Amino acid sequence: QKSTGAIIEIFLLNPVEPSTVISQVMETTDTCTWACMIGNKKKWKGEVLSSKFEIQDTELSFNAELVDSEKNYVKFSWKSTNQEISDNPKNQSSFAEIVRH
């Protein structure tokens, strides 16, 4: 949801980066890019959409950025707001955990 209140819906179609293999991308722990269907795209003017939420008692900062408007490529990035967890790759959430949330 944008700060203006507009709701942007993002439906994942297929991964683009760091791999085109879904199982590999679901294991990533920091960033990935997907081809998507985007509901209410006309309201998305290129700003990074941000959200914070908790997974297993860890607060995460999650971002979505429209990196190719023509192909509907959306880059997702996330990290723990706790620096100790963020610095240790073993403690970071996978994209699969993010999607389940």
Side-chain angles (χ1 to χ4, degrees):
Q1 184 170 358
K2 289 180 51 169
S3 59
T4 62
I7 294 176
I8 309 294
E9 295 177 308
I10 302 172
F11 301 94
L12 304 175
L13 296 177
N14 57 288
V16 177
E17 289 181 355
S19 170
T20 57
V21 178
I22 291 173
S23 60
Q24 290 176 354
V25 175
M26 295 306 254
E27 293 174 6
T28 61
T29 58
D30 58 355
T31 184
C32 59
T33 302
W34 286 71
C36 300
M37 282 189 359
I38 304 169
N40 212 9
K41 182 180 173 185
K42 65 181 177 246
K43 298 282 186 181
W44 196 356
K45 305 294 184 198
E47 69 274 20
V48 175
L49 303 178
S50 298
S51 178
K52 289 188 178 182
F53 54 87
E54 280 191 17
I55 294 180
Q56 299 175 5
D57 297 325
T58 300
E59 185 178 66
L60 295 175
S61 172
F62 181 77
N63 299 310
E65 178 183 3
L66 185 59
V67 292
D68 188 326
S69 182
E70 198 170 291
K71 294 180 180 178
N72 284 346
Y73 286 178
V74 178
K75 180 180 180 178
F76 299 99
S77 59
W78 60 98
K79 66 179 181 177
S80 170
T81 58
N82 179 329
Q83 193 63 39
E84 271 183 42
I85 292 173
S86 214
D87 289 342
N88 185 347
K90 290 182 181 180
N91 293 334
Q92 294 177 4
S93 297
S94 69
F95 192 64
E97 291 172 300
I98 302 289
V99 171
R100 268 188 245 127
H101 180 73

XYZ file of all heavy atoms in Angstrom:
805
model
N 0.841 -1.175 0.000
C 0.000 0.000 0.000
C 0.886 1.238 0.000
O 1.852 1.321 0.736
C -0.912 -0.014 1.214
C -1.877 1.130 1.215
C -2.937 0.972 2.303
O -2.965 0.003 3.018
N -3.780 1.956 2.390
N 0.531 2.190 -0.848
C 1.284 3.434 -0.931
C 0.943 4.322 0.258
O -0.084 4.155 0.908
C 0.933 4.175 -2.224
C 1.478 3.522 -3.472
C 1.111 4.281 -4.712
C 1.450 5.736 -4.581
N 1.367 6.517 -5.773
N 1.785 5.305 0.499
C 1.543 6.235 1.604
C 0.269 7.051 1.380
O -0.336 7.540 2.323
C 2.748 7.161 1.779
O 2.971 7.885 0.584
N -0.177 7.169 0.125
C -1.410 7.898 -0.182
C -2.654 7.073 0.109
O -3.761 7.580 0.041
C -1.431 8.302 -1.676
O -1.402 7.114 -2.465
C -0.274 9.200 -2.032
N -2.471 5.776 0.372
C -3.587 4.888 0.636
C -3.935 3.991 -0.544
O -4.707 3.050 -0.399
N -3.408 4.293 -1.730
C -3.675 3.451 -2.900
C -3.070 2.067 -2.686
O -1.960 1.941 -2.179
C -3.080 4.092 -4.156
N -3.803 1.056 -3.066
C -3.327 -0.322 -2.923
C -2.801 -0.804 -4.269
O -3.498 -0.734 -5.278
C -4.438 -1.244 -2.409
C -4.817 -0.832 -0.985
C -4.014 -2.701 -2.457
C -5.967 -1.602 -0.385
N -1.567 -1.281 -4.258
C -0.935 -1.866 -5.437
C -0.859 -3.367 -5.190
O -0.314 -3.808 -4.184
C 0.499 -1.307 -5.644
C 0.535 0.220 -5.614
C 1.107 -1.881 -6.915
C -0.168 0.910 -6.732
N -1.413 -4.165 -6.095
C -1.363 -5.619 -5.963
C -0.308 -6.163 -6.914
O -0.295 -5.824 -8.092
C -2.720 -6.235 -6.294
C -3.802 -5.823 -5.316
C -5.155 -6.381 -5.709
O -5.567 -6.203 -6.860
O -5.781 -7.025 -4.840
N 0.563 -7.007 -6.382
C 1.650 -7.572 -7.175
C 1.518 -9.099 -7.157
O 1.571 -9.713 -6.099
C 3.024 -7.147 -6.616
C 3.131 -5.621 -6.598
C 4.153 -7.768 -7.426
C 4.363 -5.094 -5.889
N 1.343 -9.665 -8.341
C 1.207 -11.107 -8.482
C 2.453 -11.651 -9.172
O 2.765 -11.260 -10.299
C -0.048 -11.462 -9.292
C -1.314 -10.948 -8.674
C -1.837 -9.728 -9.058
C -1.964 -11.669 -7.690
C -2.999 -9.237 -8.471
C -3.119 -11.191 -7.098
C -3.646 -9.965 -7.492
N 3.162 -12.539 -8.513
C 4.392 -13.110 -9.064
C 4.069 -14.060 -10.211
O 3.210 -14.932 -10.076
C 5.148 -13.883 -7.980
C 5.498 -13.118 -6.707
C 6.130 -14.060 -5.700
C 6.413 -11.956 -7.012
N 4.766 -13.895 -11.345
C 4.592 -14.796 -12.479
C 5.780 -15.731 -12.627
O 5.632 -16.940 -12.511
C 4.390 -14.002 -13.775
C 3.137 -13.137 -13.840
C 3.097 -12.343 -15.135
C 1.882 -14.002 -13.698
N 6.955 -15.153 -12.887
C 8.156 -15.985 -12.984
C 9.387 -15.170 -12.615
O 9.437 -13.966 -12.853
C 8.306 -16.608 -14.384
C 8.330 -15.573 -15.480
O 7.306 -14.980 -15.770
N 9.475 -15.342 -16.080
N 10.366 -15.831 -11.999
C 11.570 -15.118 -11.566
C 12.460 -14.741 -12.747
O 12.495 -15.436 -13.762
C 12.268 -16.122 -10.644
C 11.787 -17.449 -11.086
C 10.409 -17.249 -11.634
N 13.179 -13.621 -12.565
C 14.089 -13.125 -13.585
C 15.529 -13.156 -13.067
O 16.431 -13.596 -13.764
C 13.704 -11.683 -13.988
C 14.674 -11.113 -14.997
C 12.275 -11.635 -14.517
N 15.734 -12.690 -11.843
C 17.068 -12.640 -11.216
C 16.949 -13.033 -9.751
O 15.944 -12.716 -9.131
C 17.648 -11.228 -11.279
C 18.073 -10.789 -12.653
C 18.653 -9.387 -12.646
O 18.634 -8.718 -11.599
O 19.121 -8.956 -13.688
N 17.876 -13.667 -9.158
C 19.198 -14.049 -9.623
C 19.193 -15.311 -10.473
O 20.235 -15.736 -10.969
C 19.980 -14.269 -8.337
C 18.963 -14.715 -7.349
C 17.704 -13.992 -7.736
N 18.022 -15.913 -10.666
C 17.898 -17.137 -11.460
C 16.487 -17.167 -12.028
O 15.599 -16.454 -11.551
C 18.128 -18.359 -10.558
O 17.800 -19.553 -11.232
N 16.272 -17.997 -13.030
C 14.920 -18.196 -13.546
C 14.293 -19.467 -12.970
O 13.157 -19.803 -13.301
C 14.932 -18.273 -15.091
O 15.802 -19.329 -15.483
C 15.390 -16.966 -15.703
N 15.026 -20.143 -12.092
C 14.546 -21.372 -11.448
C 13.848 -20.984 -10.136
O 14.473 -20.438 -9.225
C 15.712 -22.353 -11.189
C 15.212 -23.604 -10.485
C 16.415 -22.684 -12.495
N 12.565 -21.259 -10.064
C 11.760 -20.821 -8.917
C 12.342 -21.310 -7.595
O 12.466 -20.535 -6.644
C 10.297 -21.272 -9.073
C 9.640 -20.502 -10.223
C 9.516 -21.064 -7.779
C 8.249 -20.965 -10.575
N 12.705 -22.578 -7.498
C 13.202 -23.113 -6.228
C 14.471 -22.400 -5.762
O 14.661 -22.185 -4.563
C 13.443 -24.626 -6.320
O 14.408 -24.914 -7.316
N 15.319 -21.999 -6.691
C 16.540 -21.276 -6.319
C 16.218 -19.869 -5.831
O 16.776 -19.389 -4.843
C 17.513 -21.213 -7.493
C 18.124 -22.542 -7.840
C 19.006 -22.473 -9.076
O 19.084 -21.457 -9.753
N 19.669 -23.579 -9.380
N 15.315 -19.209 -6.520
C 14.958 -17.835 -6.145
C 14.252 -17.805 -4.792
O 14.451 -16.889 -3.997
C 14.097 -17.173 -7.239
C 13.611 -15.803 -6.808
C 14.890 -17.068 -8.532
N 13.454 -18.820 -4.516
C 12.744 -18.855 -3.231
C 13.699 -19.005 -2.053
O 13.347 -18.676 -0.926
C 11.709 -19.980 -3.222
C 10.596 -19.752 -4.221
S 9.797 -18.159 -4.026
C 8.271 -18.638 -3.305
N 14.918 -19.460 -2.292
C 15.917 -19.616 -1.237
C 16.759 -18.353 -1.027
O 17.522 -18.284 -0.068
C 16.843 -20.788 -1.556
C 16.135 -22.131 -1.520
C 17.018 -23.280 -1.982
O 18.231 -23.076 -2.231
O 16.494 -24.397 -2.105
N 16.648 -17.360 -1.894
C 17.457 -16.145 -1.739
C 17.094 -15.435 -0.448
O 15.970 -15.540 0.053
C 17.283 -15.178 -2.934
O 15.919 -14.776 -3.009
C 17.724 -15.803 -4.234
N 18.050 -14.708 0.083
C 17.842 -14.079 1.394
C 18.044 -12.566 1.399
O 18.169 -11.973 2.458
C 18.797 -14.700 2.431
O 20.140 -14.520 1.987
C 18.500 -16.161 2.669
N 18.064 -11.933 0.221
C 18.215 -10.478 0.239
C 17.501 -9.754 -0.889
O 16.853 -8.748 -0.665
C 19.695 -10.076 0.268
C 20.493 -10.618 -0.900
O 19.940 -11.392 -1.702
O 21.671 -10.270 -1.012
N 17.569 -10.263 -2.117
C 16.934 -9.572 -3.232
C 16.628 -10.539 -4.369
O 17.328 -11.536 -4.549
C 17.834 -8.415 -3.748
O 17.150 -7.707 -4.767
C 19.141 -8.914 -4.274
N 15.566 -10.252 -5.113
C 15.233 -11.005 -6.315
C 14.311 -10.154 -7.180
O 13.667 -9.229 -6.694
C 14.593 -12.352 -5.983
S 13.081 -12.268 -5.029
N 14.288 -10.479 -8.464
C 13.446 -9.754 -9.412
C 12.521 -10.745 -10.107
O 12.957 -11.820 -10.514
C 14.316 -9.017 -10.453
O 15.191 -8.120 -9.769
C 13.470 -8.231 -11.432
N 11.261 -10.351 -10.221
C 10.239 -11.201 -10.838
C 9.482 -10.440 -11.920
O 9.271 -9.231 -11.800
C 9.218 -11.634 -9.791
C 9.690 -12.675 -8.840
C 10.611 -12.530 -7.842
C 9.264 -14.029 -8.774
N 10.779 -13.708 -7.172
C 9.953 -14.647 -7.722
C 8.348 -14.781 -9.513
C 9.761 -15.985 -7.395
C 8.160 -16.103 -9.171
C 8.861 -16.705 -8.132
N 9.030 -11.172 -12.943
C 8.031 -10.654 -13.866
C 6.696 -10.808 -13.139
O 6.434 -11.849 -12.529
C 8.033 -11.451 -15.159
N 5.889 -9.768 -13.165
C 4.669 -9.758 -12.351
C 3.466 -9.230 -13.124
O 3.613 -8.562 -14.146
C 4.870 -8.841 -11.138
S 6.212 -9.314 -10.059
N 2.290 -9.527 -12.621
C 1.081 -8.798 -13.004
C 0.884 -7.785 -11.887
O 1.045 -8.120 -10.704
C -0.128 -9.730 -13.074
C -0.158 -10.555 -14.317
S -1.683 -11.519 -14.605
C -2.740 -11.211 -13.250
N 0.549 -6.567 -12.255
C 0.445 -5.504 -11.257
C -0.944 -4.883 -11.316
O -1.325 -4.268 -12.315
C 1.528 -4.432 -11.481
C 2.917 -5.079 -11.465
C 1.420 -3.330 -10.440
C 4.037 -4.176 -11.922
N -1.686 -5.072 -10.233
C -3.005 -4.469 -10.127
C -2.874 -3.020 -9.660
O -2.101 -2.726 -8.760
N -3.605 -2.129 -10.297
C -3.590 -0.694 -9.990
C -2.227 -0.070 -10.336
O -1.778 0.872 -9.680
C -3.956 -0.433 -8.534
C -4.695 0.876 -8.353
O -5.088 1.524 -9.312
N -4.878 1.267 -7.113
N -1.604 -0.593 -11.381
C -0.271 -0.133 -11.795
C -0.243 1.364 -12.096
O 0.764 2.038 -11.861
C 0.192 -0.929 -13.010
C 1.574 -0.559 -13.495
C 1.960 -1.383 -14.707
C 3.248 -0.909 -15.313
N 3.544 -1.643 -16.545
N -1.339 1.894 -12.605
C -1.370 3.320 -12.960
C -1.112 4.224 -11.765
O -0.683 5.357 -11.913
C -2.690 3.676 -13.638
C -3.887 3.529 -12.729
C -5.174 3.860 -13.452
C -6.339 3.628 -12.518
N -7.198 2.568 -12.911
N -1.344 3.717 -10.565
C -1.096 4.501 -9.343
C 0.354 4.406 -8.871
O 0.774 5.145 -7.986
C -2.017 4.034 -8.211
C -3.477 4.206 -8.489
C -3.884 5.632 -8.303
C -5.398 5.748 -8.442
N -5.853 7.092 -8.287
N 1.122 3.476 -9.450
C 2.519 3.270 -9.044
C 3.398 4.140 -9.927
O 3.628 3.843 -11.084
C 2.895 1.803 -9.173
C 4.143 1.404 -8.447
C 4.998 2.212 -7.758
C 4.674 0.082 -8.322
N 6.021 1.484 -7.212
C 5.845 0.174 -7.548
C 4.276 -1.145 -8.791
C 6.620 -0.932 -7.238
C 5.042 -2.248 -8.475
C 6.202 -2.150 -7.709
N 3.873 5.207 -9.387
C 4.620 6.209 -10.153
C 6.133 6.033 -10.082
O 6.876 6.970 -10.327
C 4.252 7.625 -9.669
C 2.778 7.921 -9.711
C 2.248 7.936 -11.122
C 0.781 8.330 -11.119
N 0.097 7.976 -12.319
N 6.611 4.853 -9.730
C 8.047 4.593 -9.732
C 8.713 4.646 -8.371
O 9.875 4.288 -8.238
N 7.989 5.080 -7.351
C 8.592 5.091 -6.017
C 8.727 3.671 -5.478
O 8.044 2.759 -5.922
C 7.768 5.955 -5.047
C 6.417 5.381 -4.681
C 5.292 5.716 -5.654
O 5.552 6.068 -6.814
O 4.143 5.595 -5.238
N 9.647 3.508 -4.546
C 9.838 2.213 -3.895
C 8.730 2.037 -2.862
O 8.504 2.916 -2.026
C 11.234 2.127 -3.223
C 11.377 0.825 -2.453
C 12.336 2.264 -4.269
N 8.035 0.924 -2.940
C 7.004 0.608 -1.952
C 7.675 -0.115 -0.795
O 8.447 -1.046 -1.011
C 5.929 -0.279 -2.573
C 5.222 0.270 -3.819
C 4.218 -0.741 -4.333
C 4.552 1.598 -3.517
N 7.399 0.320 0.421
C 8.061 -0.241 1.603
C 7.032 -0.705 2.620
O 5.962 -0.118 2.753
C 8.962 0.808 2.252
O 9.971 1.191 1.371
N 7.427 -1.733 3.337
C 6.578 -2.276 4.389
C 7.471 -2.883 5.461
O 8.590 -3.307 5.176
C 5.662 -3.338 3.795
O 4.855 -3.915 4.781
N 6.975 -2.918 6.670
C 7.673 -3.606 7.765
C 6.723 -4.614 8.378
O 5.536 -4.344 8.535
C 8.149 -2.614 8.824
C 9.296 -1.758 8.347
C 9.882 -0.932 9.465
C 11.046 -0.145 8.885
N 11.729 0.647 9.851
N 7.252 -5.784 8.693
C 6.456 -6.817 9.355
C 7.380 -7.774 10.079
O 8.598 -7.687 9.954
C 5.554 -7.559 8.355
C 6.278 -8.136 7.175
C 6.838 -9.399 7.224
C 6.402 -7.408 6.001
C 7.498 -9.930 6.139
C 7.054 -7.930 4.905
C 7.607 -9.193 4.972
N 6.787 -8.679 10.857
C 7.573 -9.620 11.650
C 7.439 -11.043 11.127
O 6.356 -11.470 10.745
C 7.126 -9.602 13.112
C 7.691 -8.456 13.887
C 7.457 -8.585 15.387
O 7.135 -9.692 15.871
O 7.600 -7.573 16.061
N 8.565 -11.749 11.121
C 8.595 -13.187 10.858
C 9.437 -13.803 11.969
O 10.584 -13.407 12.173
C 9.215 -13.518 9.485
C 8.322 -12.996 8.360
C 9.433 -15.020 9.334
C 8.839 -13.269 6.970
N 8.846 -14.736 12.699
C 9.534 -15.411 13.805
C 10.201 -14.402 14.748
O 11.388 -14.495 15.049
C 10.552 -16.407 13.250
C 9.942 -17.485 12.416
C 10.976 -18.392 11.779
O 12.164 -18.280 12.016
N 10.509 -19.309 10.965
N 9.446 -13.435 15.213
C 9.898 -12.432 16.177
C 11.030 -11.542 15.664
O 11.755 -10.940 16.446
C 10.331 -13.078 17.500
C 9.173 -13.791 18.176
O 8.036 -13.298 18.069
O 9.409 -14.832 18.806
N 11.208 -11.465 14.354
C 12.226 -10.607 13.761
C 11.534 -9.604 12.848
O 10.804 -10.000 11.932
C 13.236 -11.432 12.934
O 13.863 -12.378 13.798
C 14.292 -10.545 12.313
N 11.774 -8.316 13.093
C 11.183 -7.291 12.227
C 11.979 -7.179 10.933
O 13.206 -7.097 10.953
C 11.150 -5.928 12.933
C 10.427 -4.890 12.087
C 10.318 -3.544 12.762
O 11.365 -2.910 12.974
O 9.179 -3.143 13.051
N 11.251 -7.185 9.822
C 11.876 -7.070 8.505
C 11.393 -5.808 7.807
O 10.236 -5.407 7.943
C 11.509 -8.264 7.625
C 12.011 -9.625 8.054
C 11.450 -10.694 7.140
C 13.528 -9.651 8.020
N 12.297 -5.229 7.044
C 11.967 -4.126 6.152
C 11.907 -4.729 4.748
O 12.867 -5.352 4.296
C 13.064 -3.063 6.240
O 12.855 -2.078 5.260
N 10.771 -4.572 4.061
C 10.546 -5.180 2.753
C 10.248 -4.092 1.738
O 9.449 -3.196 1.998
C 9.370 -6.162 2.842
C 9.065 -6.861 1.557
C 9.854 -7.909 1.129
C 7.983 -6.485 0.788
C 9.576 -8.578 -0.059
C 7.696 -7.133 -0.399
C 8.489 -8.184 -0.826
N 10.917 -4.156 0.567
C 10.739 -3.142 -0.470
C 10.399 -3.791 -1.806
O 10.887 -4.886 -2.110
C 12.029 -2.320 -0.654
C 12.412 -1.592 0.598
O 11.595 -0.913 1.203
N 13.652 -1.735 1.009
N 9.603 -3.088 -2.590
C 9.281 -3.498 -3.956
C 9.527 -2.301 -4.862
O 9.043 -1.200 -4.589
C 7.833 -3.956 -4.060
N 10.290 -2.528 -5.922
C 10.645 -1.454 -6.846
C 10.350 -1.898 -8.279
O 10.803 -2.964 -8.714
C 12.128 -1.119 -6.696
C 12.618 -0.056 -7.631
C 14.114 0.201 -7.490
O 14.797 -0.481 -6.699
O 14.598 1.093 -8.193
N 9.596 -1.098 -9.008
C 9.294 -1.383 -10.407
C 10.506 -0.998 -11.241
O 10.771 0.171 -11.473
C 8.057 -0.594 -10.851
C 7.520 -0.850 -12.249
C 7.133 -2.317 -12.429
C 6.328 0.047 -12.522
N 11.295 -2.002 -11.660
C 12.555 -1.724 -12.353
C 12.403 -1.724 -13.872
O 13.262 -1.189 -14.574
C 13.685 -2.698 -11.928
C 14.072 -2.454 -10.486
C 13.301 -4.141 -12.156
N 11.339 -2.322 -14.399
C 11.064 -2.276 -15.833
C 9.550 -2.230 -16.016
O 8.871 -3.248 -15.911
C 11.669 -3.486 -16.547
C 11.583 -3.395 -18.064
O 10.582 -2.838 -18.577
O 12.499 -3.878 -18.735
N 9.055 -1.036 -16.268
C 7.611 -0.822 -16.365
C 6.996 -1.539 -17.565
O 5.863 -2.007 -17.502
C 7.327 0.680 -16.448
O 5.958 0.918 -16.490
N 7.736 -1.629 -18.652
C 7.222 -2.269 -19.857
C 7.065 -3.781 -19.677
O 6.076 -4.375 -20.086
C 8.177 -1.987 -21.022
C 7.553 -2.213 -22.380
C 8.444 -1.687 -23.484
O 8.593 -0.460 -23.601
O 8.997 -2.543 -24.206
N 8.055 -4.406 -19.034
C 8.022 -5.857 -18.813
C 7.404 -6.237 -17.469
O 7.282 -7.417 -17.156
C 9.441 -6.429 -18.894
C 10.046 -6.318 -20.281
C 11.445 -6.911 -20.300
C 12.060 -6.799 -21.669
N 13.436 -7.315 -21.700
N 7.050 -5.235 -16.668
C 6.499 -5.461 -15.324
C 7.453 -6.241 -14.436
O 7.054 -7.148 -13.701
C 5.143 -6.157 -15.381
C 4.030 -5.223 -15.783
O 4.191 -4.000 -15.780
N 2.894 -5.768 -16.128
N 8.741 -5.897 -14.493
C 9.736 -6.504 -13.616
C 9.760 -5.738 -12.295
O 9.923 -4.519 -12.278
C 11.134 -6.460 -14.232
C 11.380 -7.429 -15.361
C 12.593 -7.442 -16.017
C 10.416 -8.353 -15.776
C 12.849 -8.334 -17.053
C 10.657 -9.242 -16.812
C 11.878 -9.222 -17.437
O 12.124 -10.109 -18.461
N 9.605 -6.468 -11.213
C 9.616 -5.881 -9.875
C 10.775 -6.490 -9.090
O 10.906 -7.715 -9.016
C 8.282 -6.127 -9.133
C 8.338 -5.542 -7.730
C 7.119 -5.534 -9.920
N 11.602 -5.622 -8.532
C 12.723 -6.064 -7.694
C 12.283 -5.995 -6.236
O 11.834 -4.952 -5.761
C 13.942 -5.171 -7.907
C 15.134 -5.574 -7.063
C 16.313 -4.662 -7.326
C 17.510 -5.056 -6.485
N 18.666 -4.189 -6.779
N 12.419 -7.115 -5.551
C 12.074 -7.198 -4.133
C 13.363 -7.257 -3.328
O 14.307 -7.957 -3.694
C 11.249 -8.461 -3.858
C 9.951 -8.488 -4.619
C 9.836 -9.212 -5.795
C 8.852 -7.785 -4.159
C 8.652 -9.251 -6.507
C 7.660 -7.804 -4.857
C 7.559 -8.540 -6.040
N 13.403 -6.542 -2.236
C 14.551 -6.603 -1.328
C 14.032 -6.568 0.096
O 12.983 -5.984 0.380
C 15.530 -5.456 -1.596
O 14.891 -4.206 -1.439
N 14.761 -7.208 0.994
C 14.339 -7.278 2.393
C 15.554 -7.490 3.266
O 16.567 -8.019 2.851
C 13.322 -8.398 2.603
C 13.828 -9.758 2.260
C 14.319 -10.693 3.116
C 13.927 -10.341 0.952
N 14.710 -11.816 2.429
C 14.484 -11.623 1.097
C 13.605 -9.896 -0.334
C 14.716 -12.474 0.021
C 13.851 -10.750 -1.406
C 14.390 -12.011 -1.225
N 15.438 -7.031 4.500
C 16.484 -7.268 5.490
C 15.897 -7.040 6.870
O 14.901 -6.349 7.040
C 17.699 -6.377 5.266
C 17.462 -4.902 5.471
C 18.736 -4.108 5.243
C 18.467 -2.639 5.473
N 19.657 -1.838 5.348
N 16.556 -7.636 7.820
C 16.146 -7.469 9.202
C 16.489 -6.051 9.656
O 17.504 -5.486 9.252
C 16.875 -8.480 10.093
O 16.653 -8.179 11.449
N 15.656 -5.496 10.488
C 15.968 -4.188 11.058
C 16.970 -4.321 12.199
O 17.523 -3.334 12.649
C 14.694 -3.475 11.555
O 14.048 -4.309 12.519
C 13.745 -3.190 10.403
N 17.225 -5.564 12.650
C 18.212 -5.848 13.687
C 19.561 -6.089 13.004
O 19.723 -7.056 12.264
C 17.777 -7.077 14.491
C 18.743 -7.459 15.577
O 19.953 -7.264 15.467
N 18.218 -8.047 16.641
N 20.538 -5.236 13.238
C 21.827 -5.310 12.561
C 22.534 -6.649 12.787
O 23.147 -7.192 11.881
C 22.741 -4.159 12.999
C 23.965 -3.982 12.133
C 23.627 -3.625 10.692
O 22.718 -2.860 10.430
N 24.347 -4.208 9.752
N 22.446 -7.209 13.998
C 23.098 -8.492 14.290
C 22.575 -9.593 13.374
O 23.335 -10.387 12.829
C 22.852 -8.904 15.743
C 23.876 -8.387 16.705
C 23.615 -8.894 18.121
O 23.273 -10.083 18.287
O 23.753 -8.091 19.046
N 21.266 -9.632 13.201
C 20.655 -10.645 12.348
C 20.987 -10.348 10.890
O 21.303 -11.235 10.107
C 19.129 -10.694 12.576
C 18.849 -11.230 13.978
C 18.443 -11.543 11.515
C 17.411 -11.170 14.394
N 20.944 -9.094 10.524
C 21.205 -8.686 9.146
C 22.619 -9.044 8.702
O 22.847 -9.359 7.537
C 20.989 -7.182 9.040
O 20.468 -6.843 7.807
N 23.571 -9.019 9.627
C 24.965 -9.310 9.299
C 25.262 -10.804 9.186
O 26.298 -11.185 8.684
C 25.908 -8.690 10.351
C 25.957 -7.176 10.250
O 25.560 -6.643 9.185
O 26.394 -6.537 11.213
N 24.364 -11.651 9.653
C 24.585 -13.093 9.633
C 23.631 -13.742 8.626
O 22.442 -13.880 8.887
C 24.351 -13.679 11.023
C 24.693 -15.155 11.091
O 24.871 -15.809 10.070
N 24.766 -15.675 12.292
N 24.138 -14.169 7.461
C 23.278 -14.735 6.415
C 22.442 -15.930 6.875
O 21.362 -16.155 6.363
C 24.260 -15.155 5.322
C 25.499 -14.377 5.574
C 25.536 -14.119 7.058
N 22.919 -16.682 7.846
C 22.176 -17.849 8.327
C 20.877 -17.452 9.023
O 19.957 -18.244 9.119
C 23.042 -18.670 9.284
C 24.179 -19.378 8.596
C 24.974 -20.205 9.575
C 26.131 -20.890 8.866
N 26.919 -21.705 9.767
N 20.816 -16.221 9.526
C 19.637 -15.764 10.260
C 18.637 -15.005 9.390
O 17.593 -14.613 9.877
C 20.053 -14.857 11.419
C 20.818 -15.602 12.482
O 20.656 -16.807 12.643
N 21.670 -14.905 13.196
N 18.955 -14.795 8.130
C 18.089 -13.991 7.277
C 16.945 -14.819 6.705
O 17.082 -16.012 6.451
C 18.911 -13.352 6.157
C 19.910 -12.343 6.697
C 20.783 -11.757 5.604
O 20.603 -12.041 4.438
N 21.724 -10.938 6.000
N 15.813 -14.167 6.491
C 14.630 -14.844 5.952
C 14.758 -15.048 4.452
O 15.245 -14.179 3.737
C 13.390 -14.011 6.246
O 13.201 -13.896 7.632
N 14.287 -16.192 3.986
C 14.286 -16.482 2.552
C 13.066 -15.829 1.903
O 12.090 -15.457 2.579
C 14.243 -17.986 2.318
O 12.982 -18.491 2.699
N 13.097 -15.735 0.579
C 11.954 -15.179 -0.138
C 10.717 -16.057 0.076
O 9.606 -15.554 0.149
C 12.267 -15.005 -1.626
C 11.237 -14.183 -2.347
C 11.029 -12.857 -2.019
C 10.475 -14.751 -3.359
C 10.064 -12.102 -2.673
C 9.521 -13.994 -4.028
C 9.316 -12.667 -3.682
N 10.917 -17.354 0.200
C 9.787 -18.265 0.460
C 9.086 -17.890 1.766
O 7.853 -17.884 1.845
C 10.272 -19.710 0.510
N 9.858 -17.560 2.793
C 9.265 -17.140 4.071
C 8.518 -15.813 3.927
O 7.470 -15.622 4.523
C 10.349 -17.018 5.139
C 10.952 -18.339 5.555
C 12.149 -18.176 6.476
O 13.135 -17.542 6.061
O 12.051 -18.689 7.613
N 9.072 -14.918 3.120
C 8.428 -13.623 2.888
C 7.080 -13.835 2.188
O 6.073 -13.274 2.601
C 9.324 -12.717 1.999
C 10.696 -12.490 2.634
C 8.628 -11.427 1.646
C 10.717 -11.612 3.834
N 7.070 -14.660 1.158
C 5.849 -14.892 0.388
C 4.779 -15.567 1.264
O 3.599 -15.231 1.177
C 6.150 -15.743 -0.864
C 4.866 -16.180 -1.567
C 7.033 -14.954 -1.819
N 5.195 -16.485 2.117
C 4.253 -17.160 3.021
C 3.608 -16.184 3.988
O 2.499 -16.406 4.446
C 4.948 -18.251 3.821
C 4.868 -19.583 3.151
C 5.390 -20.687 4.038
N 6.579 -21.203 3.381
C 7.763 -21.333 3.934
N 7.937 -21.022 5.191
N 8.772 -21.783 3.248
N 4.329 -15.132 4.325
C 3.819 -14.161 5.288
C 2.644 -13.441 4.671
O 1.671 -13.158 5.171
C 4.911 -13.180 5.691
C 4.431 -12.164 6.674
N 4.187 -12.477 7.980
C 4.133 -10.852 6.540
C 3.785 -11.396 8.611
N 3.730 -10.408 7.758
